[in-house]
Amino acid sequence: MSSKLENPNSLLPDLERLPRHVAIIMDGNGRWAKKKLLNRVKGHEQGADTVRMIVRATRELGIPFLTLYAFSTENWQRPKTEVMALMALLKRFLVREKDEMLENGIRLSVIGQTERLPDDVQDAMRKTMEATAHGRRMTLTLALSYGGREELVRAVRAMGNRIAEGTLDPEMVDEAVISQHLYTAAMPDPDLMIRTSGEMRISNFLLWQLAYAEMAFTPTLWPDFTKEDYLNILRDFGNRERRFGKTGDQLDPG
Ligand code: FPP
């Protein structure tokens, strides 16, 4: 019997029915700051605290993959001062969290056009990735200068090159081969995608990988997003029936 049935009032999600991979669009930092008459950068700083809390909670729950949309290919168009502040925050996060990641068996991975990041951010990223490479409890993936369409263009180009040089037979291209050419080749697709701040869009995030993900949208702005909000979404996920195109009876014929 599931713990949910034993204790219907429990706030905790059913640990048997947690997602394996949670992906999050962390939205609303700017609006949070505006509401408080603060500079947008303050919103990102507060958002970085939410990141730390969510990483910790995900690891404690035993969810093995967490992917965070930290900077999109479109975000380069923001005012230069905001881009620079975000890069500084990312670098600080990569440097300061390294030890905690190591202690907790968290492996850092990064997806996106990392070559576009400033050298010092690339450097911090590389060092933390190398140091945490043996982490086995959880993979934390930061999407940095990431865009889903760019990722697909890159994958098609790589497959085209392999076909041209004769190392890939076009007849062998199937869903698995496409997945292997994406930044996310080494991880399972997300089971759950969360977006904060009330927007109900995917915004070029993991376009291929989210094909069967459950979606959870909350009006809460990212800096205000709490552990309780997270646990509520995870509990709700455990109560959903994921059918993958089949009927409910096919999944549970008794
Ligand atoms: C969206 O809010 C958020 C971002 C573009 C950046 C996300 C960055 C962080 C949460 C902080 C740093 C990250 C790490 C990993 C330490 P927005 O600015 O689009 O908000 P708005 O839509 O209200 O303007």
Side-chain angles (χ1 to χ4, degrees):
M1 192 187 279
S2 78
S3 56
K4 185 170 55 67
L5 291 177
E6 283 161 24
N7 180 4
N9 295 321
S10 167
L11 280 175
L12 282 173
D14 184 341
L15 296 177
E16 308 270 300
R17 304 182 70 166
L18 286 172
R20 271 186 82 203
H21 184 174
V22 178
I24 307 182
I25 301 181
M26 313 181 286
D27 198 8
N29 295 347
R31 273 163 285 166
W32 182 90
K34 195 171 177 191
K35 256 184 23 188
K36 295 192 154 24
L37 304 178
L38 297 168
N39 186 295
R40 293 176 59 82
V41 174
K42 288 282 171 215
H44 296 313
E45 284 172 9
Q46 196 66 32
D49 285 348
T50 308
V51 169
R52 278 184 276 274
M53 178 274 290
I54 288 295
V55 170
R56 208 166 286 160
T58 307
R59 148 77 181 74
E60 283 166 8
L61 286 161
I63 295 172
F65 294 92
L66 174 67
T67 299
L68 303 175
Y69 206 0
F71 195 86
S72 70
T73 45
E74 291 77 20
N75 286 153
W76 290 113
Q77 294 161 33
R78 292 195 174 197
K80 197 162 174 225
T81 47
E82 184 173 343
V83 171
M84 281 165 56
L86 273 168
M87 290 299 143
L89 256 181
L90 281 167
K91 182 179 164 189
R92 200 187 312 164
F93 177 84
L94 292 166
V95 172
R96 288 199 185 164
E97 299 305 307
K98 188 172 84 182
D99 288 346
E100 188 172 331
M101 286 189 213
L102 269 173
E103 280 163 28
N104 288 296
I106 299 175
R107 186 174 76 91
L108 177 77
S109 123
V110 176
I111 56 173
Q113 303 164 306
T114 51
E115 67 284 356
R116 288 183 73 182
L117 300 169
D119 287 346
D120 58 338
V121 177
Q122 287 191 45
D123 209 43
M125 185 186 91
R126 224 172 285 125
K127 281 186 182 139
T128 304
M129 285 200 307
E130 275 169 27
T132 62
H134 300 294
R136 288 290 172 267
R137 285 172 187 262
M138 182 179 118
T139 299
L140 167 64
T141 301
L142 298 182
L144 295 178
S145 190
Y146 172 86
R149 287 190 169 185
E150 186 278 328
E151 178 182 41
L152 287 167
V153 167
R154 190 177 160 275
V156 171
R157 215 174 265 158
M159 287 185 293
N161 284 335
R162 288 189 54 200
I163 288 169
E165 72 192 13
T167 55
L168 178 65
D169 175 355
E171 293 304 318
M172 299 301 282
V173 175
D174 58 10
E175 293 186 13
V177 169
I178 292 175
S179 293
Q180 282 156 19
H181 285 82
L182 300 177
Y183 292 125
T184 51
M187 55 180 113
D189 288 342
D191 313 289
L192 172 65
M193 196 284 281
I194 301 172
R195 181 169 190 157
T196 58
S197 93
E199 309 293 347
M200 298 198 195
R201 296 187 286 274
I202 297 184
S203 297
N204 207 11
F205 188 41
L206 301 175
L207 294 179
W208 172 273
Q209 299 88 335
L210 290 176
Y212 292 104
E214 293 290 327
M215 302 280 162
F217 297 99
T218 168
T220 306
L221 304 175
W222 179 251
D224 287 331
F225 191 68
T226 63
K227 187 169 174 180
E228 285 66 40
D229 294 328
Y230 190 37
L231 293 178
N232 282 338
I233 289 173
L234 292 171
R235 208 179 52 235
D236 184 45
F237 172 87
N239 293 333
R240 294 192 199 181
E241 183 186 34
R242 303 184 71 209
R243 295 212 294 264
F244 301 98
K246 297 180 179 169
T247 69
D249 287 347
Q250 282 176 305
L251 293 174
D252 188 10

